[in-house]
Amino acid sequence: MNEIVAREQIAPETWRYLVRAPEIAARRRAGQFVVLRVYEKGERFPLTVVSSDPAEGTIELIFQAVGTSTRMLAAMCPGDEIMDLAGPLGRPTHIERFGVCVVIGGGYGMAPVIPIAQAQRDAGNTLIGIDGARSREHVILEDRLRAICDRVEVCTDDGSYGHHGFVTDVLREMIEAGERIDYVLAIGPTPMMRAVAELTRPHGIHTVVSLNPIMVDGTGMCGGCRVEVAGETKFACIDGPEFDGHLVDFESLMRRQRMYSEMEGEARRMFEPHSTPLCACQEDRDGE
Amino acid sequence: MVSEVKAGRQPMPEQPPDERIHNFDEVPLGYTPEQAFAEARRCLQCKRPHCVEGCPVKVKIPQFVALIAEGRFEEAARKIKETNAFPGICGRLCPQEGQCELTCVLGRRDEPVAIGRLERFVADWERARGDIQHPDPRPPTGHSVGVIGSGPGGLAAAADLAMWGHKVTVYELFHAAGGVLRYGIPRFRLPREVLDAELEYLESLGVELRLNFVVGRTATIDDLLEEHGAVFVATGAGLPRFLDVPGENLLGVYSANEFLTRVNLMRADRFPEYHTPVHCGDDVIVVGGGNVAMDAARTAVRLGARKVTVLYRRTRAEMPARDEEIVHAEEEGVRFEFLAAPLEMLGDDEGWLRVMRCERMELGAPDETGRRRPVPIEGSEFELPCDTAIVAIGSRAHPLVPDTTPDLEVSRRGYIAIDETGATSKPGVFAGGDIVTGAATVIEAMGAGRRAAESIHRYLTGQEPPNGTPPPGVR
């Protein structure tokens, strides 16, 4: 069950896994996620399903190894089994022929953009991609995005690759140049999604964001992932994860995402990489 | 005999409050064999026992009590399991004072026989012996049943159906089985070794538990009906209800479900060894008056909160919690603020809860539940400082199955509609427990599971169920 069949590092601290999960692979749709628990003492945490291969029975997961649980996941090897994997969860993306869709990924937020971009493309939309990252080495999935989109703009915060600037700078130029935009999808760090929503709001451009609050069960039972949308409390796990970016209270979301930051720091210190068991296939990482 | 009747009910030994607030071990320690003897001998062995009428699953109470009185504990265990596969759970969690013990004849002039404690004693005795007996299920019928949800309703249905020879698969969305018994009920009320042992017993009857399986997402009811002749939906009322007051999304405000799940299922009490954190501040307010509120308050005490206050809008007399739970909470230092309800939660600059603004209530005319309705007193607002709030005011239907099964009839509040046999509007699909009735007790869900099991047996075989008759041969 849940065997890791392939493992690849695609950027600093960023990993791409193929995991055997035939039931999820057969059923998952764009925008859905899985909840994982790496081992007995681990947390339950959500990851978007980037793609699936129903014939092979595998799903593709991309994650950044920044917290205790994701670092433990990164320490696993092909052949290892993820202890628990449940899904596909969340509402699938609303797919419609909008016209021109701009799909924006910030950092590893590009990973959840890919399946949605593909589905919007398949629905007959024209796609423009914006792939933003801190620097050249952090740009991920550019080739995949290019294969889906009619046009792709890459930007980096430090200017080491593509445009020098943020994804919002690229989007602003497009809007100011009078380009037709019917739909914007933005996924990445919460401040980035908020900035995109603020940019499109005055222009009335339909803007969808995919939220990543703290979750436990992922099926509506705890309410930990609650977010305020248009003044109403919603559960990201069953009402989302995608919402109208113009209606989300990002301030409250960002606060709630930081709820355990102190405790997480404590846990992280206890599980430094050297204390995480690495198997032989990872010894080549020691030199990094 | 008369003198023995007058001997009085055996008291339950308990962990003293000043010790137990520092651990998650069980509070009532259980009868010794001597106590169990003495208590069992109090039973009058009524010819027409009222206690059985009070039991939702019709445990053969006088018979198993008589066997205890004779020291035949193993046979007593077998006798209970003819009708109830989960004596360790039921002996602890059933509100016996409102069921079997309420109707015990002894209770008219004296205290009733401690039926629940005796049931628990037998289960614990058998588990401690390490050799749990179980009857052989009847020969395979060739029918297969899918049970959705491994909470009390699902487990009870699965046990009966398996005993009658059906192939049963239980689907559970969490990574561990038990439903509310796993994520909701704290260890100090239901030790996990008791739950695990009774789940193992269920598996020994041939029941397959499929974990991490989210029906409605991983597969739909229609998918399951391709594999199973019938499906029993026992998904519970697992969605938390919030107060709908301003400030409820501040940091430090939890649903009781989340707070308890973090501790019970994810072991946040052992953070960081277990990596799931929980925030339990010094000054905790629990809103609500049911068993879940008591569980949350007593869990907060054990996590080291300095002050835990239960805020309830009626008085102690109307609290839905079991008296035993209220008394335990009081002994553990939990304070009660009756006739009060939250109006607003106020936070600091960083968004952490700091104050709960409340108002006083008074009791007005009785509402549809027969309890007097709380009415706000004008101008009675007051503030309570706090840094953690746990909202335990009830729950809602789990929507995943109804939402993904278009031809399943539901009430306007999302609960599944059934007829008197437990059948839903969709052929082959039965439902029971909290997903039908709204939040109720563990044993009521078990009763519903058993009634549905009977209907499913009739639906699949066209025959009456073997009705608890002990099958031949005991392994």
Side-chain angles (χ1 to χ4, degrees), chain A residues 23 27 39-41 43-44 84 87-88 219-222 224 226 228 233 255-256 260 263 270-271, chain B residues 175 210 212 217-218 223 239-240 248-249 253-255 257-258 262 271-275 278 350 398:
Chain A
E23 279 158 332
R27 191 162 284 272
Y39 82 130
E40 197 220 329
K41 295 179 179 177
E43 287 178 274
R44 292 172 64 96
D84 298 296
T219 67
M221 291 175 65
C222 77
R226 59 198 193 273
E228 282 172 49
T233 295
R255 279 202 304 262
R256 291 188 61 81
Y260 301 102
M263 295 177 89
M270 273 192 68
F271 296 95
Chain B
H175 56 256
R210 289 212 52 192
N212 297 310
R217 292 285 185 224
T218 314
D223 296 331
L239 261 66
E248 206 160 14
N249 295 332
V253 184
Y254 283 106
S255 72
N257 255 12
E258 180 179 2
R262 284 179 177 272
F271 180 87
E273 181 201 349
Y274 284 74
H275 311 324
V278 70
E350 288 173 359
H398 203 293

Side-chain angles (χ1 to χ4, degrees), chain A residues 27-33 48-50 88-98 101-103 111-121 123 125 127 183-187 206-211 236-244, chain B residues 217:
Chain A
R27 191 162 284 272
R28 75 97 207 175
R29 287 160 65 192
Q32 291 189 301
F33 61 91
T48 299
V49 181
V50 179
L89 303 173
R91 284 178 195 264
T93 305
H94 175 69
I95 306 296
E96 189 187 320
R97 188 160 179 176
F98 292 100
C101 298
V102 177
V103 294
V113 164
I114 293 290
I116 302 169
Q118 183 67 57
Q120 298 294 19
R121 167 96 223 184
N125 289 291
L127 261 82
Y183 166 101
V184 167
L185 169 77
I187 309 180
H206 178 41
T207 300
V208 172
V209 295
S210 179
L211 307 184
C237 63
I238 52 170
D239 300 321
E242 284 160 39
F243 294 100
D244 183 334
Chain B
R217 292 285 185 224

Side-chain angles (χ1 to χ4, degrees), chain B residues 193-475:
Chain B
E193 55 272 24
V194 176
L195 176 58
D196 290 338
E198 297 197 341
L199 286 168
E200 251 171 62
Y201 175 81
L202 187 69
E203 287 186 277
S204 78
L205 300 177
V207 172
E208 187 196 351
L209 296 175
R210 289 212 52 192
L211 307 174
N212 297 310
F213 196 105
V214 187
V215 175
R217 292 285 185 224
T218 314
T220 62
I221 295 280
D222 285 306
D223 296 331
L224 295 186
L225 281 172
E226 285 177 18
E227 212 174 307
H228 304 292
V231 163
F232 177 53
V233 183
T235 47
L239 261 66
R241 219 181 261 287
F242 284 93
L243 291 156
D244 205 16
V245 300
E248 206 160 14
N249 295 332
L250 287 167
L251 306 189
V253 184
Y254 283 106
S255 72
N257 255 12
E258 180 179 2
F259 185 77
L260 291 170
T261 299
R262 284 179 177 272
V263 177
N264 295 335
L265 178 72
M266 305 307 298
R267 302 307 314 264
D269 55 308
R270 286 169 63 178
F271 180 87
E273 181 201 349
Y274 284 74
H275 311 324
T276 302
V278 70
H279 168 81
C280 183
D282 288 333
D283 202 338
V284 179
I285 294 181
V286 179
V287 182
N291 286 324
V292 177
M294 297 305 104
D295 286 344
R298 298 174 66 198
T299 296
V301 166
R302 284 160 175 77
L303 291 175
R306 261 184 252 162
K307 185 177 161 201
V308 179
T309 308
V310 169
L311 194 75
Y312 181 54
R313 58 199 187 130
R314 294 181 167 100
T315 72
R316 173 163 172 161
E318 288 83 23
M319 278 177 77
R322 290 182 75 183
D323 194 56
E324 182 183 324
E325 307 307 326
I326 303 171
V327 170
H328 280 151
E330 285 170 337
E331 288 171 356
E332 290 164 12
V334 172
R335 302 160 199 226
F336 289 82
E337 189 76 59
F338 293 114
L339 291 167
L343 283 175
E344 184 178 8
M345 304 197 194
L346 304 166
D348 63 17
D349 293 344
E350 288 173 359
W352 284 92
L353 174 70
R354 289 292 171 254
V355 168
M356 196 180 289
R357 204 161 62 80
C358 309
E359 65 182 344
R360 287 280 161 214
M361 315 294 277
E362 58 188 352
L363 292 183
D367 63 12
E368 66 276 10
T369 67
R371 291 181 304 172
R372 294 178 64 192
R373 190 192 301 272
V375 183
I377 301 175
E378 227 173 283
S380 66
E381 292 178 17
F382 65 103
E383 293 189 343
L384 291 174
C386 59
D387 51 18
T388 303
I390 303 167
V391 180
I393 57 165
S395 55
R396 300 180 281 147
H398 203 293
L400 265 181
V401 166
D403 283 359
T404 55
T405 317
D407 41 353
L408 195 65
E409 230 173 82
V410 294
S411 75
R412 74 197 139 77
R413 290 164 70 196
Y415 296 105
I416 298 177
I418 58 170
D419 66 14
E420 64 287 349
T421 70
T424 68
S425 58
K426 191 175 170 69
V429 179
F430 296 76
D434 287 6
I435 189 61
V436 168
T437 59
T441 64
V442 165
I443 194 66
E444 281 168 315
M446 284 191 169
R450 306 199 62 179
R451 284 190 299 279
E454 290 183 2
S455 300
I456 290 169
H457 182 86
R458 285 188 202 102
Y459 172 82
L460 291 173
T461 65
Q463 289 170 356
E464 281 304 300
N467 228 351
T469 342
V474 168
R475 275 201 292 258

Side-chain angles (χ1 to χ4, degrees), chain B residues 39-72:
Chain B
E39 185 63 27
R41 283 200 299 266
R42 295 180 64 229
C43 176
L44 297 176
Q45 291 294 318
C46 304
K47 285 259 155 28
R48 295 172 64 192
H50 295 301
C51 51
V52 181
E53 287 163 30
C55 174
V57 302
K58 306 287 176 238
V59 168
K60 295 173 179 169
I61 295 166
Q63 290 94 322
F64 95 75
V65 173
L67 289 165
I68 295 176
E70 291 168 29
R72 292 152 69 187

Side-chain angles (χ1 to χ4, degrees), chain A residues 221-261:
Chain A
M221 291 175 65
C222 77
C225 67
R226 59 198 193 273
V227 290
E228 282 172 49
V229 182
E232 257 185 78
T233 295
K234 297 280 183 191
F235 291 0
C237 63
I238 52 170
D239 300 321
E242 284 160 39
F243 294 100
D244 183 334
H246 296 149
L247 302 179
V248 170
D249 180 351
F250 287 103
E251 203 55 52
S252 143
L253 173 66
M254 284 190 282
R255 279 202 304 262
R256 291 188 61 81
Q257 283 172 325
R258 286 195 299 265
M259 177 153 172
Y260 301 102
S261 48

Side-chain angles (χ1 to χ4, degrees), chain A residues 37 61 100 218 232:
Chain A
R37 192 176 66 136
L61 303 174
V100 179
E232 257 185 78

